[in-house]
Amino acid sequence: MRARTKARKRALDILFESEARGDAPLEVLTQRRETTDAPPVSDYAGMLVEGVVAHRDRIDQLLAEHAEGWTVARMPAVDRTLLRIGIFELLWVDEIDDPVAITEAVELARTLSTDDSPRFINGVLGRIADIAEHLRATR
């Protein structure tokens, strides 16, 4: 597994854990950085967690607008978290090409979520990627 793929998986783990426990994501991130009992948190994983937290309201607004037939709250937690990371990468991480952000989210969904999740995530991120240039200009 490549370094950024591992970082995305680690960010997913941290964001998922914080949501499941009702803990603040940045507190979980800090705890994971300080422990030796869990895999290390790379700089990229930390940046993903921090970015999703910083832009979560806007990310969730985009999810609500582009996830046809789904509310954000009704989405499976893994899918919702992968979509948040994917949208953050699409709109705020300039060094990641849009197709890479989408492919990485889809591949993680293929391994970690339901059979329908990869297609769902690909569709939502694809719709957002189609208007990403406009969205980036308004951020």
Side-chain angles (χ1 to χ4, degrees):
M1 194 181 289
R2 295 184 320 259
R4 287 213 171 145
T5 302
K6 286 181 184 176
R8 288 177 185 94
K9 169 73 169 71
R10 192 73 175 114
L12 169 69
D13 292 344
I14 291 166
L15 291 166
F16 181 86
E17 177 184 345
S18 72
E19 186 173 323
R21 291 181 169 201
D23 293 340
L26 297 179
E27 288 177 17
V28 175
L29 175 62
T30 299
Q31 291 167 0
R32 294 302 158 259
R33 282 180 165 157
E34 293 173 351
T35 187
T36 57
D37 296 340
V41 178
S42 70
D43 290 342
Y44 193 74
M47 186 269 299
L48 291 174
V49 171
E50 291 165 354
V52 167
V53 169
H55 300 286
R56 181 154 168 204
D57 290 342
R58 179 66 175 134
I59 290 169
D60 284 359
Q61 177 188 21
L62 290 167
L63 274 178
E65 292 170 5
H66 297 282
E68 297 170 359
W70 286 87
T71 63
V72 175
R74 205 177 120 227
M75 291 175 192
V78 170
D79 295 2
R80 179 176 49 245
T81 304
L82 283 171
L83 285 164
R84 286 174 174 156
I85 292 169
I87 291 170
F88 175 71
E89 283 190 304
L90 284 172
L91 301 181
W92 285 279
V93 183
D94 294 332
E95 73 252 20
I96 301 297
D97 293 332
D98 292 356
V100 172
I102 294 169
T103 300
E104 289 285 329
V106 168
E107 288 304 313
L108 283 169
R110 195 175 317 283
T111 355
L112 302 171
S113 198
T114 69
D115 290 342
D116 295 329
S117 294
R119 186 175 64 243
F120 173 66
I121 288 172
N122 187 57
V124 174
L125 292 179
R127 284 190 287 281
I128 292 171
D130 287 344
I131 58 169
E133 190 172 318
H134 169 72
L135 293 170
R136 286 184 202 109
T138 62
R139 61 179 178 190

